[in-house]
Amino acid sequence: QVQLVESGGGLVQAGGSLRLSCAASGRTFSSYVMGWFRQAPGKEREFVAAINWSGDITVYSDSVKGRFTISRDNAKNTMYLQMNSLKPEDTAVYYCNSGPNIATMKGKDYWGQGTQVTVSS
């Protein structure tokens, strides 16, 4: 069973940048997709970005497209989310997860602690 730990969040001003990391441990499948999700207080968790195992296929939500870049380093068992041009509406707890596809990740019962991203105006 794969375990994921998010890190890299913090407080930044609008227009700033952050790089989130998702460290994986335990058993995983080479075919697994990995992705980032976020949840603001009182709101539902929403999809942010996903990447396949080889890293040649990525998917982004419209709200972050062009500003965020998802990547992974399988040798380090780590996935990243480079966030540029941050906006106050990006403020949320960011979570990572994995699964055979994006739909499976969205339906996951288990989510970790996440990492808080706060963007001030």
Short mmCIF file of all heavy atoms in Angstrom, two decimals, residues 5 8 15 18 21-22 24 28-29 41 44-45 60 67 77 81-82 87 96 100 103 107 114-115 117-118:
data_model
loop_
_atom_site.label_atom_id
_atom_site.label_comp_id
_atom_site.label_asym_id
_atom_site.label_seq_id
_atom_site.Cartn_x
_atom_site.Cartn_y
_atom_site.Cartn_z
N VAL A 5 3.07 11.66 1.42
CA VAL A 5 3.23 12.77 2.35
C VAL A 5 3.49 14.05 1.57
O VAL A 5 4.46 14.13 0.83
CB VAL A 5 4.37 12.52 3.35
CG1 VAL A 5 4.52 13.71 4.29
CG2 VAL A 5 4.12 11.25 4.15
N GLY A 8 5.82 21.46 1.46
CA GLY A 8 6.19 22.59 0.64
C GLY A 8 5.24 23.76 0.67
O GLY A 8 5.52 24.81 0.07
N GLY A 15 1.02 36.46 -6.83
CA GLY A 15 2.06 36.57 -7.83
C GLY A 15 3.31 35.78 -7.51
O GLY A 15 4.18 35.61 -8.38
N LEU A 18 5.38 28.73 -5.26
CA LEU A 18 5.66 27.67 -4.31
C LEU A 18 5.86 26.37 -5.07
O LEU A 18 5.31 26.20 -6.16
CB LEU A 18 4.51 27.48 -3.31
CG LEU A 18 4.35 28.49 -2.18
CD1 LEU A 18 3.06 28.20 -1.42
CD2 LEU A 18 5.54 28.43 -1.23
N SER A 21 5.78 19.17 -2.81
CA SER A 21 6.33 17.84 -3.01
C SER A 21 5.40 16.80 -2.43
O SER A 21 4.72 17.04 -1.44
CB SER A 21 7.71 17.72 -2.35
OG SER A 21 8.64 18.60 -2.93
N CYS A 22 5.38 15.65 -3.05
CA CYS A 22 4.60 14.52 -2.59
C CYS A 22 5.51 13.31 -2.59
O CYS A 22 5.85 12.78 -3.65
CB CYS A 22 3.39 14.30 -3.51
SG CYS A 22 2.42 12.82 -3.15
N ALA A 24 6.38 9.48 -1.86
CA ALA A 24 5.69 8.20 -1.81
C ALA A 24 6.57 7.13 -1.19
O ALA A 24 7.78 7.11 -1.37
CB ALA A 24 5.26 7.77 -3.21
N THR A 28 3.75 0.27 -4.83
CA THR A 28 2.99 1.00 -5.83
C THR A 28 3.10 0.28 -7.17
O THR A 28 3.93 -0.62 -7.35
CB THR A 28 3.49 2.45 -5.96
OG1 THR A 28 2.63 3.18 -6.84
CG2 THR A 28 4.91 2.47 -6.52
N PHE A 29 2.25 0.68 -8.10
CA PHE A 29 2.25 0.10 -9.43
C PHE A 29 2.83 1.09 -10.43
O PHE A 29 2.55 2.29 -10.36
CB PHE A 29 0.83 -0.29 -9.85
CG PHE A 29 0.22 -1.36 -9.00
CD1 PHE A 29 -0.71 -1.04 -8.02
CD2 PHE A 29 0.55 -2.68 -9.19
CE1 PHE A 29 -1.28 -2.01 -7.24
CE2 PHE A 29 -0.02 -3.68 -8.41
CZ PHE A 29 -0.94 -3.35 -7.43
N PRO A 41 -11.50 25.69 3.01
CA PRO A 41 -12.42 25.49 4.13
C PRO A 41 -13.88 25.60 3.71
O PRO A 41 -14.26 26.55 3.04
CB PRO A 41 -12.04 26.60 5.10
CG PRO A 41 -10.60 26.87 4.81
CD PRO A 41 -10.48 26.71 3.32
N GLU A 44 -15.78 21.63 -1.27
CA GLU A 44 -15.45 20.29 -1.69
C GLU A 44 -14.03 20.22 -2.24
O GLU A 44 -13.50 21.21 -2.76
CB GLU A 44 -16.42 19.81 -2.76
CG GLU A 44 -17.86 19.64 -2.28
CD GLU A 44 -18.00 18.52 -1.28
OE1 GLU A 44 -17.31 17.49 -1.41
OE2 GLU A 44 -18.80 18.67 -0.34
N ARG A 45 -13.43 19.06 -2.12
CA ARG A 45 -12.12 18.85 -2.70
C ARG A 45 -12.21 18.90 -4.22
O ARG A 45 -13.14 18.36 -4.81
CB ARG A 45 -11.56 17.50 -2.25
CG ARG A 45 -10.15 17.21 -2.73
CD ARG A 45 -9.67 15.83 -2.25
NE ARG A 45 -9.56 15.77 -0.81
CZ ARG A 45 -10.39 15.11 -0.02
NH1 ARG A 45 -11.42 14.44 -0.54
NH2 ARG A 45 -10.21 15.11 1.29
N TYR A 60 -4.55 19.24 -16.42
CA TYR A 60 -4.71 20.34 -15.48
C TYR A 60 -6.15 20.84 -15.47
O TYR A 60 -6.84 20.80 -16.49
CB TYR A 60 -3.81 21.52 -15.84
CG TYR A 60 -2.34 21.23 -15.82
CD1 TYR A 60 -1.68 20.79 -16.96
CD2 TYR A 60 -1.60 21.39 -14.65
CE1 TYR A 60 -0.32 20.52 -16.95
CE2 TYR A 60 -0.24 21.13 -14.63
CZ TYR A 60 0.39 20.70 -15.78
OH TYR A 60 1.74 20.43 -15.76
N ARG A 67 -0.25 28.11 -15.24
CA ARG A 67 0.41 28.64 -14.05
C ARG A 67 1.10 27.54 -13.24
O ARG A 67 2.14 27.78 -12.64
CB ARG A 67 -0.59 29.37 -13.16
CG ARG A 67 -1.26 30.55 -13.83
CD ARG A 67 -2.12 31.34 -12.84
NE ARG A 67 -3.20 30.55 -12.29
CZ ARG A 67 -3.35 30.25 -11.00
NH1 ARG A 67 -2.47 30.69 -10.11
NH2 ARG A 67 -4.38 29.52 -10.59
N ASN A 77 10.91 8.73 -5.99
CA ASN A 77 9.55 8.44 -5.53
C ASN A 77 8.83 9.70 -5.07
O ASN A 77 8.16 9.72 -4.04
CB ASN A 77 9.58 7.41 -4.39
CG ASN A 77 10.05 6.06 -4.84
OD1 ASN A 77 9.67 5.58 -5.90
ND2 ASN A 77 10.89 5.42 -4.02
N LEU A 81 4.58 19.83 -7.64
CA LEU A 81 3.66 20.77 -8.24
C LEU A 81 4.29 22.16 -8.12
O LEU A 81 4.33 22.73 -7.04
CB LEU A 81 2.29 20.76 -7.55
CG LEU A 81 1.23 21.66 -8.20
CD1 LEU A 81 0.85 21.12 -9.58
CD2 LEU A 81 -0.01 21.76 -7.31
N GLN A 82 4.80 22.65 -9.23
CA GLN A 82 5.36 23.99 -9.27
C GLN A 82 4.23 24.97 -9.51
O GLN A 82 3.55 24.89 -10.54
CB GLN A 82 6.41 24.11 -10.38
CG GLN A 82 7.02 25.50 -10.53
CD GLN A 82 7.83 25.90 -9.32
OE1 GLN A 82 8.64 25.13 -8.83
NE2 GLN A 82 7.61 27.12 -8.82
N LYS A 87 -2.58 33.07 -6.97
CA LYS A 87 -3.69 33.97 -6.72
C LYS A 87 -4.34 33.64 -5.39
O LYS A 87 -4.24 32.51 -4.91
CB LYS A 87 -4.74 33.83 -7.84
CG LYS A 87 -4.21 34.05 -9.24
CD LYS A 87 -5.29 33.77 -10.26
CE LYS A 87 -4.78 33.96 -11.67
NZ LYS A 87 -5.84 33.67 -12.69
N CYS A 96 -2.11 15.07 -2.33
CA CYS A 96 -1.74 14.23 -3.46
C CYS A 96 -2.32 12.84 -3.27
O CYS A 96 -2.65 12.43 -2.16
CB CYS A 96 -0.22 14.16 -3.65
SG CYS A 96 0.70 13.42 -2.28
N PRO A 100 -5.20 4.04 -10.59
CA PRO A 100 -5.13 3.62 -11.99
C PRO A 100 -5.51 4.73 -12.97
O PRO A 100 -5.04 4.74 -14.11
CB PRO A 100 -6.14 2.47 -12.06
CG PRO A 100 -6.24 1.97 -10.65
CD PRO A 100 -6.12 3.20 -9.81
N ALA A 103 -10.28 9.26 -12.27
CA ALA A 103 -11.56 8.97 -11.66
C ALA A 103 -11.39 8.17 -10.37
O ALA A 103 -12.08 8.41 -9.38
CB ALA A 103 -12.47 8.23 -12.64
N GLY A 107 -12.20 9.27 -6.19
CA GLY A 107 -13.04 8.48 -5.30
C GLY A 107 -12.31 7.86 -4.12
O GLY A 107 -12.91 7.08 -3.38
N GLY A 114 -2.11 16.65 3.96
CA GLY A 114 -2.03 17.73 3.00
C GLY A 114 -1.03 18.79 3.43
O GLY A 114 -0.42 18.70 4.49
N THR A 115 -0.88 19.81 2.60
CA THR A 115 -0.01 20.93 2.94
C THR A 115 -0.75 22.23 2.62
O THR A 115 -1.35 22.38 1.56
CB THR A 115 1.33 20.84 2.18
OG1 THR A 115 2.21 21.88 2.61
CG2 THR A 115 1.14 20.92 0.67
N VAL A 117 -1.53 25.93 1.61
CA VAL A 117 -1.06 27.01 0.75
C VAL A 117 -1.95 28.21 0.99
O VAL A 117 -3.16 28.13 0.82
CB VAL A 117 -1.08 26.62 -0.73
CG1 VAL A 117 -0.78 27.82 -1.62
CG2 VAL A 117 -0.10 25.49 -1.00
N THR A 118 -1.35 29.31 1.40
CA THR A 118 -2.10 30.54 1.65
C THR A 118 -1.50 31.66 0.81
O THR A 118 -0.31 31.95 0.92
CB THR A 118 -2.06 30.93 3.13
OG1 THR A 118 -2.58 29.85 3.93
CG2 THR A 118 -2.90 32.18 3.37
#
